């Protein structure tokens, strides 16, 4: 991926991520999130992870975001009412974030190996889906089964937690 | 008999869960108690079978070793007692969940712990970040549901939300930490990571950074300061059986993962010592926070929450003293294992009695235990046992646990931790004995007779006995804990290459 | 100028930090939840980057990609359960505002 | 082992058996108790006489009491000239006092208890006499302290008696403090507490003169307490709160002399240390002078005698200090006779006058209590050193020894002789001569036979005790005999008697008043202030510190602080999810800093 | 046999909790225990020496941990003390109005714990058995105590609980000080290791200070004593007797059995510290005792003070000192138990036991006055009682301490200790005078002489004191060979 595209998508991802946090309107936040994830998917493509990129778009931008929006609509949540802004909390949160970023920066500076470029792949076009699928269903079968259980449990949970009260 | 493959235990538990779900779906009767009793019997039988599983085998994700077997037994045991609690608690639960008839909607409440149990068992065996992550999330997500289960009680929902948000936050850190570790070593299997760390030159700073992120995630699971804040609120709000499950199961699994995850890094120069130091600081803070903040509590459930933080501190002390490689006295793994076993018995005992008493006294404050020795000497004695064990009085399992923890700390020469430990133990004496004082010194303020279901009575009796038994004869647990080292030396090389 | 691993790691880290900041700063639970998703995705990004960086036999490390797949799945399940809880809470208290849910304290 | 070896044990055990029997079984029966006690003491007396005339059995059999490596404490007896005569004194006077007490204590509520305690005292005192080692002596030393305590406090409902008993015991304990330390010091170098062993290893003790002097002086502390020497003399006058027979036996004749006896017993230690001798002699001289001065202004008949006892004890100590233990023992012997006599006489008077003790409320008893008067006179003359009576000889021996040592020891002794004559004459004149000054005194008469017979026996003894006995005590070869000493002594005697006679003949109240003497040089006040200023103050301070600082600040404070910290920590648990997330983040950042960058 | 001594009270306690008649069962158990301890005392073969009556049961083979009981001369003596005081304490217990079964069960638990601790030849059980008494004490003081009983119960429990953990650290440290292959909890084996120099001198100082502080807290070593007076003052009579008389001796027993023989170099290293603290016990606490206005507090403080003498004997680290200390433990246990027993009788009339509220009791309660007088004099060291003989021995021992210790420091300590004898006379006589002497008040004249209550319990205690006082050599010969064997030459 050319650096320009990288910068573009990275900026897009980050900018809309900030928008998620900054927007007062939940719907706007949700939509910003979708755009951010799209940017992310593009970055995945740039890393030759096509399957993941597709999944990202399908699951996140498709399913999860719809769910979010759906709930926001269902609960009819308006823009966050203008409550008193808790300045110390904002300042504190900001400071912690800044500190975390600073630490991350230093860590990256000390990670010399990370300053090298990516090595090229052995072949130009990798059979991404096949490889992932192969791994998933052969060697990584056990965690995959556990994921299945997890989804079962989540399903039960959602049913239990949101089934209607019978009067 | 021929050895049973280890994985069959988890499969059996999952099958049980699914069968319970099917019964819930297709059974005409609303009364699921028979089903629960069956589950209890089944799980009890599984504990028996677990001693016959093949001690070898496993693969890159799934280890079969003494630690795993031991923690699986703990998970099964916890689940059994939680189910007993759930039966005892069902009348309370029924009030707070929607349903036409009294028993409706309870079936899931009984089956979810079984799935959680499977998750805990997977965690006990997990030696690859993939399986660790997945099984951890299985456990966590079922806990989200269980904590928020009482939909009509806003406290339960509030607890659910808090657990959800903070849990997800910690998951974020955990995943990010795994990312870094993977990125630096190129492996997700712990043995492979160890191999990589031994052979490859890995940049220390990013490694520490990743490790710390990992510790954040695991620290959350085991309720270590400063990631303990969810504990009191969630414990108090959750249905009591779930609180017990959280404080025992989740914590035990957290510690087994912590022990396994730490293992590869301890030998790395410049990393192991620092990690242990940071763990020691966390341990000290955790002991102090849990035990001191418990002092002014008046609600027994919340008090147990703080106490559970305190115990996490002792366990962390042992982890932070992980230097001894042998299985003798002073080994951290032994200390953690035994401590957790004792902690399990006494905590479950306390919660079980709490459920019974709270139902009859209509409240779970300390003053509701006033004069319990007169109202029900049996319960009072059970709770006395639990409190003594939690406080660390000899001849109880809790004492042997503390003994091992302190032995590990002394062995490691961490005397400042020991000093804090002693101070906090003294604080612990105060708040645990407050319950004893309430039960024995005070006059009862309500004299409704306490009726105890036979199964509950039996469980209380058995747990009480076990607390004393393992306090006097620690050898059975020691033998269980003895065994091959943490990581399977076979199949070091991962398949993904 | 070539792209290095650190470029991706930086983006991922910033994304993580933004998500984290959102969790600390926003007061609407649903938005907090979105921010948590941001954090998970930040991890995904660095995972994919590392996977591409740590080539195995000239191919990306598929271990990591499978992990990303799992993370996405788990995140989806988490969102489902989480939103169910939030809905239940909203039904009980008519709010999704964190400051309103502090009956359990001290 | 010959039969004689058993006798010392009989002497020792008879009173013990009596004491135990009385305390355990016959408390209710006064008559029986008294009989048992008297029988026991008579038995001891008889046995003592046998022993006295028996052969010297220095190594009678021993019973091991403690037997540890390096520390052997036997219960064993020493029979030598010293102990033989002391046995006779103790049992003899003891027997007389017991008999006397039969009458004196008749009808007392605690008669049985009294006799029980008296027997206990006899046992303890005889133990001191017979002891063949320091530790055993210390055991009985303590026991006489206790029996003295019990007997002084016999009338325990009286507050003054209780106070006096406490004072006596504690003052003695202070003396014992030094005594024990001295014993330890000697033992630590000599390796044994048995007198014979120490004597054998004397060179080890004397190797270091400073050490020796310290040790001897510490041992001397014991004597200071027991024999009521300045500055630990204050208990003895107060001890007169006890029944008079007790005063006679314990606080005049025997127990208080135990200090002197002990010093004589360990004289082999004192002998090599001139420094210690000087200190001992000085203390003795000061005591005899001060006590005599105090005696001149007392009004209580028993107190006058008590101060006189102090003064005479001072003499004995002085004698020890001037290296004349023989003279000291001689004086001890004669003093025991006449002082017991005087006390018993005073007791007879007090008994007949319904417990009146103020000499100014007596008077004219010469005619009414004839026997008492006669015997008292004998004792009086013996005490003041009337030539020809026992006191004269013994006092003369002491004065001679003091004179030989130096004029500074001799002069106080001489002055004391003068004062003794003065105050005893004062007493004698006021009590027996002149007119009766109270109703009780008008109706006085002699006591029953059991009372007068002991008086008579003692009276005879007081007169004759000086004849034929001196060789028994004093060394064969006198160093130097100065004629001037007896002359001066007789002079002092004459001057004192005359002075007393002239001043007090016919007086109804005291013509002279010297507050310093009357108030006993303000020792009691000084000590009261000292105790209040040091011990009580320290006690109060310690008590306060313990309650408020150690327990309050540290123990309760610490637990309070823990609780308070817990209370504050709870506020981290504010219930707000956002706050939790923030703290969580803070923790993350902090720990990353700590782990990665610190 | 030793197992029986431990388990008879335990079984009796369980029986009582399950409904057996409380007082009868308890008394029966106490008598049985007493007879057994006496039997052990009489049948102990002094000529053979060492640990006898050994029996063991494996508990945790991984740690070479066994339930191992046995008794040498010291244990035999302490067991006898336990038997005597338990019998007296249970006998003297007054009528209990509420929850009688629990009361007696607690007492029996305490005695079982004490007996177990004294009979264990295994470090782990030595420690564990002692703790058996902690909670019963808590319940006893809190439920049946007097005055500020709750505060007192909290203080003693938390203080001692914490002390026990300090002690535990010391024991662990000691266990780990031995080379790994040889590690054991077995005291006999440990002793062999120590004697053959396998516990290096450098590794002895740290465990010793932990043990000293841990045991010290249990013994109320200055300045960790403030739990004791209040607890004893508030505790019901039998509990105070058992605790002050027997249980407190456990700490000393531990020092004698564990700390000093196994860690002699450590003991020497810390000897000066111990001297300072024990002088604090004797002088400071002694003075504080004088300042007390209540009999129970005074007795509590006095028992703290007397610990100083025992420490003095221990500190000397020679046969004389240790033997004297051992006998003094025995003697002090009996005398303080007797005093507390009688204080309990007085408490029936004046619950606060203020000294000023009594007076002149000797007149109408001669038996009590007599018995109290004996006990009081015993405690301040009257010859004829074991206290005197043992204190004397301690002084001798301390004056010539073992080689390697600074004798001049010990001389100074002995000076203070001897002065303490004066102090103890002051407070004890003051109290005796305030209670028993003087003119009795009107009310007091009507109080009956508790002759019956005194008759057996107190007589047993005093008789034992007298026997040991008259023949201390016999008792010392139980402990002396043992000490001689373990002390470094």
């Amino acid at each position: 991926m050319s650096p320009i595209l990288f910068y573009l998508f990275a900026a897009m991802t980050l900018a809309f991520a900030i928008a998620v946090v900054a927007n007062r309107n939940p719907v706007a936040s949700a939509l910003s999130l979708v755009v951010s994830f799209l940017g992310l998917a593009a970055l995945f493509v740039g890393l030759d992870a096509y399957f993941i990129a597709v999944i990202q778009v399908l699951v996140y931008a498709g399913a999860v975001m719809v769910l979010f929006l759906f709930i926001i609509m269902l609960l009819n949540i308006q823009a966050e009412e203008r409550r008193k802004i808790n300045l110390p909390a904002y300042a504190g949160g900001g400071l912690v974030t800044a500190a975390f970023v600073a630490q991350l920066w230093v860590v990256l500076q000390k990670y010399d190996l990370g300053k090298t470029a990516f090595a090229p792949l052995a072949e130009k076009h990798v059979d991404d889906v096949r490889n992932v699928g192969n791994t998933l269903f052969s060697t990584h079968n056990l965690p995959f089964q556990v994921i299945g259980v997890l989804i079962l449990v989540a399903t039960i949970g959602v049913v239990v937690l949101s089934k209607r009260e019978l009067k | 008999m021929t050895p049973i493959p280890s994985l069959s235990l988890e499969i059996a538990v999952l099958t049980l869960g699914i069968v319970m779900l099917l019964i819930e779906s297709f059974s005409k009767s609303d009364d699921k108690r028979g089903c629960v009793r069956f589950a209890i019997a089944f799980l009890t039988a599984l504990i028996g079978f677990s001693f016959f599983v093949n001690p070898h085998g496993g693969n890159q994700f799934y280890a079969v070793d003494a630690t795993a077997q031991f923690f699986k037994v703990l998970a099964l045991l916890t689940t059994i007692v939680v189910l007993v609690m759930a039966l005892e608690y069902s009348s309370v639960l029924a009030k707070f969940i929607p349903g036409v008839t009294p028993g409706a909607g309870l079936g899931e409440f009984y089956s979810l712990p079984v799935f959680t149990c499977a998750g805990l068992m997977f965690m006990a065996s997990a030696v690859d970040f993939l399986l660790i992550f997945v099984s951890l999330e299985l456990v966590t997500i079922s806990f989200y549901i269980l904590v928020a289960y009482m939909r009509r009680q806003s406290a339960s929902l509030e607890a659910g939300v808090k657990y959800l948000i903070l849990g997800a936050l910690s998951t974020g850190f955990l995943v990010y930490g795994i990312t870094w570790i993977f990125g630096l070593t190129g492996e997700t299997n712990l043995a492979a990571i160890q191999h990589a760390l031994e052979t490859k030159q890995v940049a220390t700073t990013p490694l520490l950074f990743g490790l710390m992120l990992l510790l954040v995630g695991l620290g959350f699971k085991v309720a270590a300061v400063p990631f303990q804040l969810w504990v009191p609120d969630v414990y108090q709000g959750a249905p009591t059986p779930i609180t017990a499950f959280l404080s025992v199961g989740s914590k035990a699994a957290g510690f087994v993962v912590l022990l396994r995850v730490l293992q590869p890094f301890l030998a790395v120069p410049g990393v192991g010592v620092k990690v242990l130091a940071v763990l020691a600081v966390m341990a000290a803070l955790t002991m102090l926070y849990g035990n001191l903040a418990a002092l002014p509590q008046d609600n027994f459930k919340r008090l147990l929450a703080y106490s559970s933080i305190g115990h996490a501190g002792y366990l962390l002390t042992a982890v932070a003293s992980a230097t001894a490689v042998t299985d003798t006295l002073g080994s951290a793994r032994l200390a953690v294992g035994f401590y957790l076993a004792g902690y399990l018995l006494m905590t479950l005992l306390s919660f079980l009695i709490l459920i019974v008493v709270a139902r009859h006294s209509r409240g779970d404050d300390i003053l509701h235990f006033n004069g319990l020795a007169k109202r029900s000497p049996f319960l009072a004695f059970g709770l006395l046992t639990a409190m003594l064990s939690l406080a660390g009085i000899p001849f109880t399992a809790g004492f042997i646990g503390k003994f091992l923890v302190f032995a590990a700390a002394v062995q490691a020469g961490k005397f400042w931790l020991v000093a804090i430990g002693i101070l906090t133990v003294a604080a612990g004496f105060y708040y645990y004995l407050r319950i004893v004082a309430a039960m024995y010194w005070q006059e009862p303020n309500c004299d409704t007779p306490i009726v105890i279901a036979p199964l509950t009575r039996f469980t209380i009796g058995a747990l009480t006995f076990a607390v004393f038994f393992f306090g006097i004869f620690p050898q059975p647990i020691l033998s269980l804990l003895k065994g091959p080292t943490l990581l399977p030396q076979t199949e070091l090389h991962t398949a993904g290459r | 100028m070539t792209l290095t691993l650190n470029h991706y790691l930086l983006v991922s880290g910033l994304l993580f930090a933004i998500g984290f900041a959102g969790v600390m700063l926003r007061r609407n639970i649903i938005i907090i939840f979105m921010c948590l998703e941001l954090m998970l995705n930040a991890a995904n990004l660095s995972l994919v980057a590392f996977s591409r960086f740590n080539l195995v036999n000239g191919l990306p490390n598929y271990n990591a990609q499978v992990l990303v797949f799992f993370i996405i799945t788990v995140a989806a399940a988490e969102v489902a359960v989480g939103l169910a809880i939030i809905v239940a809470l909203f039904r009980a208290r008519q709010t999704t505002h964190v400051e309103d849910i502090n009956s359990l304290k001290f | 082992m010959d039969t004689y070896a058993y006798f010392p044990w009989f002497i020792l055990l008879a009173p013990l058996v009596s004491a135990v029997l009385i305390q355990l079984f016959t408390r209710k029966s006064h008559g029986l108790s008294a009989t048992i006690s008297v029988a026991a003491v008579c038995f001891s007396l008889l046995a003592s006489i046998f022993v006295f005339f028996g052969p010297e059995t220095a190594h009678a059999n021993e019973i091991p009491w403690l037997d540890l490596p390096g520390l052997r404490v036997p219960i064993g007896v020493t029979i030598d000239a010293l102990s033989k005569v002391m046995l006779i004194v103790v049992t003899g006077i003891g027997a007389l006092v017991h008999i006397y007490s039969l009458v004196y204590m008749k009808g007392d509520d605690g008669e049985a208890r009294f006799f029980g305690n008296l027997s206990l005292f006899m046992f303890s005192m005889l133990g001191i006499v017979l002891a063949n080692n320091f530790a055993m002596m210390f055991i009985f030393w303590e026991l006489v302290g206790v029996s003295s305590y019990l007997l002084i406090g016999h009338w325990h409902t009286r507050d003054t008696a209780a106070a006096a008993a406490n004072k006596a015991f504690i003052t003695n304990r202070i003396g014992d403090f030094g005594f024990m330390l001295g014993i330890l010091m000697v033992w630590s170098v000599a390796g044994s507490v048995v007198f014979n062993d120490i004597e054998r290893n004397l060179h080890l003790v004397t190797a270091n003169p400073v050490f020796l002097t310290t040790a001897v002086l510490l041992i001397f502390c014991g004597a200071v307490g027991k024999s009521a020497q300045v500055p630990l003399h204050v208990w003895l006058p107060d001890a007169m709160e006890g029944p008079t027979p007790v005063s006679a036996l314990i606080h005049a004749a025997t127990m208080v002399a135990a200090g002197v006896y002990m010093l004589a017993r360990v004289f082999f230690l004192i002998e090599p240390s001139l420094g210690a001798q000087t200190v001992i002699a000085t203390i003795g001289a000061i005591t005899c002078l001060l006590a005599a001065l105090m005696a001149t202004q007392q009004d209580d008949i028993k107190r006058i005698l008590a101060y006189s006892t102090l003064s005479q004890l001072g003499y004995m100590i002085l004698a020890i200090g001037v290296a004349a233990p023989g003279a000291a023992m001689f004086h001890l012997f004669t003093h025991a006779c006449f002082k017991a006599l005087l006390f018993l006489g005073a007791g007879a008077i007090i008994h007949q006058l319904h417990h009146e003790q103020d000499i100014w409320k007596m008077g004219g008893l010469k005619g009414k209590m004839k026997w008492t008067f006669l015997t008292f006179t004998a004792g009086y003359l013996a005490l003041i050193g009337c030539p020809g009576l026992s006191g004269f000889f013994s006092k003369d021996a002491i004065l001679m020894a003091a004179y030989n040592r130096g004029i500074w020891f001799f002069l106080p002794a001489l002055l004391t002789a003068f004062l003794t004559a003065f105050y005893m004459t004062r007493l004698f004149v006021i009590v027996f001569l002149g007119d009766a000054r109270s109703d009780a005194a008008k109706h006085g008469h002699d006591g029953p036979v059991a009372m007068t017979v002991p008086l008579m026996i003692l009276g005879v003894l007081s007169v004759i005790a000086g004849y034929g006995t001196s060789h028994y005590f004093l060394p064969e070869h006198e160093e130097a005999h100065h004629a001037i000493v007896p002359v001066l002594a007789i002079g002092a005697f004459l001057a004192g008697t005359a002075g007393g006679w002239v001043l007090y003949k016919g007086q109804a109240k005291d013509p002279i008043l010297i507050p310093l003497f009357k108030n006993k040089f303000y020792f009691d006040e000084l000590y009261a202030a000292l105790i209040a200023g040091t011990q009580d103050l320290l006690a109060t301070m310690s008590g306060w510190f313990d309650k408020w600082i150690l327990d309050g600040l540290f123990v309760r404070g610490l637990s309070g602080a823990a609780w308070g910290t817990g209370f504050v920590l709870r506020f981290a648990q504010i219930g707000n999810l956002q706050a939790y997330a923030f703290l969580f983040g803070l923790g993350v950042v902090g720990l990353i800093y700590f782990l990665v960058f610190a | 046999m030793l197992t029986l001594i431990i388990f008879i009270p335990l079984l009796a306690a369980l029986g009582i909790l399950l409904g057996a008649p409380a007082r009868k069962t308890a008394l029966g158990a106490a008598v049985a225990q007493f007879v057994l301890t006496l039997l052990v005392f009489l049948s102990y073969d002094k000529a053979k020496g060492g640990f006898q009556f050994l029996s063991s049961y494996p508990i945790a083979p991984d740690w070479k941990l066994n339930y191992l009981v046995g008794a040498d001369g010291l244990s035999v003596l302490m067991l006898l003390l336990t038997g005597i005081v338990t019998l007296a304490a249970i006998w003297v217990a007054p009528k209990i109005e509420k929850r009688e079964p629990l009361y007696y069960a607690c007492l029996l638990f305490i005695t079982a714990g004490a007996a177990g601790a004294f009979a264990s030849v295994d470090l782990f059980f030595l420690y564990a058995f002692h703790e058996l008494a902690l909670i019963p004490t808590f319940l006893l003081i809190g439920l049946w105590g007097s005055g500020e009983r709750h505060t007192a119960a909290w203080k003693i429990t938390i203080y001692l609980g914490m002390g026990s953990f300090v002690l535990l650290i010391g024991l662990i440290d000691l266990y780990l000080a031995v080379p790994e292959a040889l590690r054991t909890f077995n005291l006999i084996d440990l002793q062999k290791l120590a004697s053959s120099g396998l516990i290096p001198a450098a590794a002895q100082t740290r465990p010793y200070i932990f043990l000293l502080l841990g045991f010290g807290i249990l013994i109320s070593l200055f300045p960790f004593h403030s739990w004791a007076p209040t607890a004893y003052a508030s505790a019901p009579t039998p509990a105070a007797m058992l605790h002050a008389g027997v249980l407190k001796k456990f700490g000393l027993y531990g020092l004698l059995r564990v700390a000093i023989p196994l860690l002699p170099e450590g003991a020497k290293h810390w000897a000066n510290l111990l001297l300072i603290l024990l002088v604090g016990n004797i002088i400071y606490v002694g003075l504080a005792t004088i300042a007390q206005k209540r009999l129970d507090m005074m007795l509590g403080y006095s028992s703290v003070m007397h610990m100083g003498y025992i420490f003095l004997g221990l500190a000397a680290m020679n046969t004389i000192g240790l033997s004297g200390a051992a006998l003094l433990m025995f003697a002090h246990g009996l005398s303080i138990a007797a005093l507390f027993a009688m204080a309990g009788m007085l408490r029936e009339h004046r619950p606060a036991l203020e000294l000023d509220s009594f007076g002149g009791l000797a007149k109408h309660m001669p038996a009590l006055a007599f018995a109290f007088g004996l006990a009081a004099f015993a405690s301040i060291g009257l010859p004829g009682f074991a206290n005197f003989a043992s204190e004397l021995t301690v002084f001798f021992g301390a004056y010539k301490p073992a080689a390697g210790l600074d004798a001049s420091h010990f001389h100074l300590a002995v000076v203070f200790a001897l002065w303490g004898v004066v102090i103890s006379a002051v407070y004890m006589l003051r109290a005796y005078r305030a209670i028993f002497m003087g003119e009795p008040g009107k009310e007091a004249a009507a109080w009956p002489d508790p002759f019956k209550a005194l008759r057996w319990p107190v007589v047993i205690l005093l008789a034992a004191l007298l026997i040991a006082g008259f023949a201390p050599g016999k008792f010392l010969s139980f402990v002396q060979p043992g000490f001689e064997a373990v002390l470094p030459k």
Side-chain angles (χ1 to χ4, degrees), chain D residues 228-237 294 307 310 520 523 527:
Chain D
Q229 297 298 295
V230 173
L232 297 182
H233 63 285
V234 288
W235 65 271
L236 185 59
M294 294 181 214
Y307 282 106
L310 278 181
K520 313 147 210 168
F523 266 107
Y527 285 175

Side-chain angles (χ1 to χ4, degrees), chain E residues 160-386:
Chain E
L160 293 193
M162 195 162 134
S164 315
F165 271 92
V166 177
L167 170 59
L168 182 66
I169 302 305
L171 293 178
I172 292 172
D173 206 11
L174 166 64
Y175 176 85
L176 295 175
V178 179
E180 186 161 345
L182 301 169
R183 283 176 192 165
T184 173
F185 287 101
N186 185 326
L187 269 168
I188 300 174
D189 294 350
L190 276 173
Q191 186 59 59
K192 278 180 203 145
L193 294 176
S195 300
S196 47
L198 279 167
I199 306 180
Q204 291 190 11
T205 45
R206 196 179 59 203
Y208 183 82
I209 189 68
F210 278 118
L211 290 180
L212 179 64
L213 292 182
F215 283 125
I217 289 173
L218 304 183
I219 317 165
S220 62
L221 173 64
F222 170 83
F224 310 109
H225 61 272
S226 75
W227 58 269
T230 43
Y232 295 158
S234 303
T237 307
M241 288 168 74
L242 277 174
H243 212 284
V246 181
L247 215 52
K248 211 185 200 180
K249 306 296 172 292
F250 164 75
L252 297 159
Y253 174 82
L255 287 175
L256 278 175
R257 166 73 73 228
V258 181
I260 290 177
L262 300 184
L263 306 166
E265 294 307 316
K268 282 179 184 163
H269 185 261
W270 294 105
N272 284 339
L273 175 73
L274 180 57
L275 282 183
I276 292 168
L277 297 185
L278 74 88
V279 167
N281 261 65
I282 294 175
I283 299 294
Y284 166 82
V285 177
L287 286 170
T289 315
I290 296 181
Q292 297 309 313
K293 304 261 185 292
R294 288 168 46 191
L295 178 63
D296 46 10
M297 286 295 273
M298 191 217 82
L299 291 179
Y301 269 102
S302 92
S303 99
V304 175
M305 176 202 177
H306 280 106
M307 293 303 115
Y309 295 104
I310 307 180
F311 278 120
L312 184 59
L314 293 178
M317 292 193 52
N318 53 21
T319 312
I320 303 176
L322 294 189
S323 310
L327 187 61
L328 188 51
M329 283 155 66
F330 182 73
H332 177 262
L334 295 173
S335 64
I336 198 74
L339 284 170
F340 272 119
M342 286 181 275
M345 295 170 193
L346 290 171
R347 201 191 281 285
E348 286 169 26
H349 304 297
R350 291 269 188 272
L353 281 178
E354 270 152 353
L355 291 175
D356 291 342
S357 66
F358 295 103
L361 298 192
K363 193 165 184 182
H364 298 288
M365 308 166 101
L368 183 64
F370 178 64
F372 196 96
L374 286 185
F377 271 106
S379 92
I380 62 174
L382 170 72
F385 293 102

Side-chain angles (χ1 to χ4, degrees), chain A residues 42-64:
Chain A
L43 290 177
F44 288 163
V45 172
L47 289 165
D48 301 317
Y50 306 106
F51 176 69
I52 297 297
V54 169
I55 293 288
Q56 173 82 3
V57 172
L58 284 181
V59 176
Y60 267 116
V64 172

Side-chain angles (χ1 to χ4, degrees), chain C:
Chain C
M1 189 182 130
T2 50
L3 287 175
T4 63
L5 177 59
N6 272 358
H7 283 95
Y8 285 93
L9 292 182
L10 184 63
V11 172
S12 147
L14 285 175
L15 196 58
F16 192 84
I18 291 166
F20 190 27
V23 174
M24 284 189 287
L25 298 179
R26 293 307 299 258
R27 286 180 285 188
N28 188 323
I29 296 177
I30 295 187
I31 296 181
I32 289 177
F33 216 61
M34 292 181 196
C35 295
L36 288 168
E37 296 308 313
L38 275 180
M39 291 170 76
L40 286 178
N41 278 287
N44 282 352
L45 177 56
S46 41
L47 259 181
V48 175
F50 276 127
S51 140
R52 174 66 181 76
F53 190 75
N54 294 321
L55 294 180
V56 178
N57 302 331
L59 288 174
N61 190 326
Y62 285 107
N63 260 345
Q65 298 215 2
V66 170
L67 182 55
V68 172
F69 175 77
F70 286 159
I71 291 172
I72 290 172
T73 320
V74 166
E78 206 173 63
V79 165
V81 172
L83 288 177
I85 293 174
I86 291 169
V87 168
L89 179 79
F90 188 82
R91 282 183 186 161
R93 291 223 190 145
Q94 307 300 320
T95 181
T96 54
H97 214 275
V98 286
E99 282 166 5
D100 296 333
I101 46 169
N102 61 350
S103 68
L104 298 167
K105 59 184 161 189
F106 302 131

